[in-house]
């Protein structure tokens, strides 16, 4: 089962349904089933599927006969490629939208209906499910590798996990490109009260700062924005909202001086034009922007500094934490994590 973007907290009926179903539930970062998770359902939520499906040996062991997808298509490219390759015999898309969101053309059924209707389907409790246990065990192994990785390495993902592990009773707004992918890689299922939102439009860089202020105004509780330097620069004047309305927003800017996502793509090997056309470094930092909008400002480069910055008491309605990272190191360290995990899977 795959759960795409959900903007509301799942009802109790959902958790009862998946516990009876006893299938692995692949949770998109925006599914909002990685937070507020009952202890009894934790083993069913596969939050590491993006990393798991980068492993060729793992994919060969979990080819599904049937898939139910609820809501929009998830952000994960490895998941999309996996489904397109295996073409499940039954692939049901259960979506309130009348638009069949199926870019890989693998869906066999499209049911336009309210998702709450699905949770009402009656079924008996299942006995042990060997297929689901493959996912659960691999996911457990993955998080063991992540914990070890975070003790020995430093990159944006390791720093992002420091943020994710501290959040509670708040909303997290996530920018596109690497931030949303770091959520997929490093945000572990938790019972803590965290709701996730993102503005993923035709161009995901648009209006992300403004979106964060809008979410905070609508939800009326503390909010965090996790964003890269280019996306922040693109909507920096969205900070004007802090002068027009009460707010409680902490902005974490991962400043790797450019567009980090492109360093993972084939064009990164084009040395002559890559930086000019894709890396697009600006050399900018944002302490002066914080001063202009009367925001609290802290900078960090290490795990310890970032943790201290997050723990520093909030003195103004907007707190900006600028974290300086390196694009080349981010690529190397992310790939090191996936390689280590694949090696551990091979041992099993």
């Amino acid at each position: 089962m795959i759960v795409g973007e959900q903007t509301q907290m799942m009802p109790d009926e959902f958790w009862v349904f998946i516990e009876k179903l006893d299938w692995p539930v692949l949770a998109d970062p925006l599914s909002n089933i990685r937070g507020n998770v009952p202890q009894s359902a934790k083993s069913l939520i596969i939050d590491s599927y993006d990393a798991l499906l980068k492993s060729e040996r793992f994919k060969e062991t979990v080819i599904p006969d049937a898939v139910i997808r609820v809501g929009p298509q998830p952000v994960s490219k490895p998941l999309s490629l996996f489904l397109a390759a295996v073409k499940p015999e039954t692939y049901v898309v259960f979506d309130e939208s009348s638009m069949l969101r199926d870019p890989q053309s693998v869906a066999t059924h499209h049911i336009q209906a309210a998702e709450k209707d699905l949770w009402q389907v009656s079924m008996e409790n299942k006995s042990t499910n060997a297929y689901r246990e493959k996912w659960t065990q691999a996911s457990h192994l993955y998080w063991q590798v992540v914990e070890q990785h975070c003790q020995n390495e430093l990159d944006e993902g390791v720093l992002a996990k420091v943020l994710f592990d501290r959040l509670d009773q708040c909303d997290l707004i996530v920018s596109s490109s690497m931030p949303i992918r770091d959520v997929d890689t490093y945000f572990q299922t938790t019972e803590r009260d965290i709701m996730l939102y993102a503005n993923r439009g035709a161009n995901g860089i648009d209006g992300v700062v403004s979106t964060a202020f809008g979410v905070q105004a609508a939800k009326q509780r503390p909010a965090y924005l996790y964003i890269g330097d280019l996306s922040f620069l693109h909507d920096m004047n969205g900070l004007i909202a802090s002068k027009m309305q009460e707010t409680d927003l902490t902005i974490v800017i991962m400043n790797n001086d450019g567009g980090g996502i492109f360093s993972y793509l084939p064009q990164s090997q084009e040395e002559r034009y890559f930086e000019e056309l894709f890396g697009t470094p600006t050399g900018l930092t944002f302490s002066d922007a914080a001063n202009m909008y009367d925001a609290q400002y802290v900078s960090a480069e290490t795990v310890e500094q970032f943790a201290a910055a997050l723990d520093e008491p909030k003195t103004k309605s907007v707190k900006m934490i600028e974290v300086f990272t390196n694009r080349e190191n981010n690529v190397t360290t992310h790939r090191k994590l996936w390689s280590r995990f694949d090696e551990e899977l091979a041992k099993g």
Side-chain angles (χ1 to χ4, degrees):
M1 185 173 182
I2 301 167
V3 181
E5 182 179 6
Q6 305 291 315
T7 57
Q8 303 294 326
M9 191 180 298
M10 285 298 199
D12 292 341
E13 291 81 4
F14 166 77
W15 303 108
V16 173
F17 175 83
I18 65 169
E19 286 181 44
K20 288 185 176 180
L21 185 66
D22 197 29
W23 287 13
V25 181
L26 279 54
D28 180 77
L30 301 180
S31 63
N32 278 307
I33 59 170
R34 295 198 191 189
N36 298 284
V37 180
Q39 183 64 36
S40 59
K42 268 184 149 181
S43 64
L44 301 173
I45 304 300
I46 308 301
D47 45 21
S48 55
Y49 68 92
D50 183 77
L52 300 185
L53 292 175
K54 287 182 172 72
S55 168
E56 292 298 328
R57 58 171 53 89
F58 179 74
K59 287 191 292 187
E60 292 173 359
T61 69
V62 292
I63 296 173
D65 298 316
V67 174
I68 298 173
R69 193 189 87 209
V70 179
Q73 177 78 13
V75 67
S76 169
K77 183 177 180 180
L79 175 59
S80 296
L81 293 175
F82 174 65
L83 293 172
V86 301
K87 290 185 170 57
E89 182 178 347
T90 303
Y91 186 162
V92 180
V93 174
F94 201 96
D95 197 346
E96 290 191 64
S97 173
S98 60
M99 182 185 302
L100 175 56
R101 295 181 272 196
D102 179 32
Q104 283 75 40
S105 299
V106 292
T108 59
H109 301 75
H110 178 227
I111 301 174
Q112 184 190 357
E115 290 150 5
K116 62 182 177 62
D117 295 338
L118 179 58
W119 318 142
Q120 306 304 320
V121 174
S122 61
M123 65 181 75
E124 297 180 358
N125 285 318
K126 302 291 177 63
S127 57
T128 56
N129 184 336
Y131 178 78
R132 193 266 301 160
E133 288 176 355
K134 287 181 182 179
W135 284 92
T136 300
Q137 291 168 5
S139 188
H140 180 68
L141 175 63
Y142 171 75
W143 287 112
Q144 289 181 324
V145 173
V146 167
E147 288 299 325
Q148 184 178 11
H149 174 84
C150 289
Q151 292 175 15
N152 301 317
E153 305 291 346
L154 177 64
D155 74 337
E156 285 182 11
V158 173
L159 290 159
K161 193 172 186 301
V162 174
L163 169 65
F164 303 154
D165 288 350
R166 275 172 160 70
L167 299 180
D168 194 8
Q169 297 183 329
C170 65
D171 297 303
L172 175 63
I173 300 91
V174 187
S175 188
S176 296
S177 297
M178 283 312 299
I180 191 67
R181 287 167 175 83
D182 279 337
V183 173
D184 226 356
T185 304
Y186 285 97
F187 194 104
Q188 188 172 12
T189 297
T190 178
E191 296 175 59
R192 286 174 282 126
D193 177 13
I194 310 165
M195 296 287 288
L196 277 75
Y197 301 93
N199 179 22
R200 295 186 60 78
N203 186 347
I205 201 172
D206 291 340
V208 180
V209 175
S210 300
T211 296
F213 280 108
V215 170
Q216 198 284 324
K219 298 293 292 293
Q220 288 294 300
R221 67 175 187 165
Y224 289 76
L225 169 60
Y226 178 47
I227 190 170
D229 56 294
L230 290 186
S231 292
F232 182 78
L233 178 64
H234 196 77
D235 191 30
M236 189 171 66
N237 283 339
L239 290 169
I240 195 65
S242 67
K243 314 300 290 183
M244 300 176 176
Q245 64 194 40
E246 292 185 5
T247 191
D248 184 353
L249 180 65
T250 299
I251 303 174
V252 175
I253 306 165
M254 287 291 177
N255 191 340
N256 55 36
D257 196 22
I261 189 69
F262 298 107
S263 297
Y264 292 80
L265 302 178
Q267 56 262 47
S268 63
Q269 303 306 308
E270 177 49 68
E271 296 181 4
R272 182 177 179 183
Y273 296 109
F274 176 74
E275 282 296 287
E276 180 182 359
L277 298 179
F278 297 98
T280 60
T282 66
L284 295 176
T285 59
F286 299 106
S287 59
D288 288 339
N291 290 332
M292 182 165 67
Y293 289 101
D294 191 31
Q296 180 181 354
Y297 177 85
V298 193
S299 65
E301 294 185 17
T302 66
V303 166
E304 293 76 17
Q305 291 172 353
F306 185 38
L310 289 167
D311 293 341
E312 181 177 303
K314 200 161 182 279
T315 60
K316 297 186 178 180
S317 61
V318 175
K319 178 180 177 182
M320 288 171 50
I321 304 174
E322 187 169 14
V323 187
F324 295 100
T325 65
N326 177 278
R327 277 185 276 134
E328 184 176 344
N329 174 66
N330 289 335
V331 176
T332 301
T333 307
H334 272 70
R335 287 176 174 163
K336 191 181 293 185
L337 169 62
W338 299 325
S339 177
R340 283 175 176 167
F341 173 64
D342 206 38
E343 290 172 3
E344 290 300 318
L345 268 180
K347 294 178 183 177

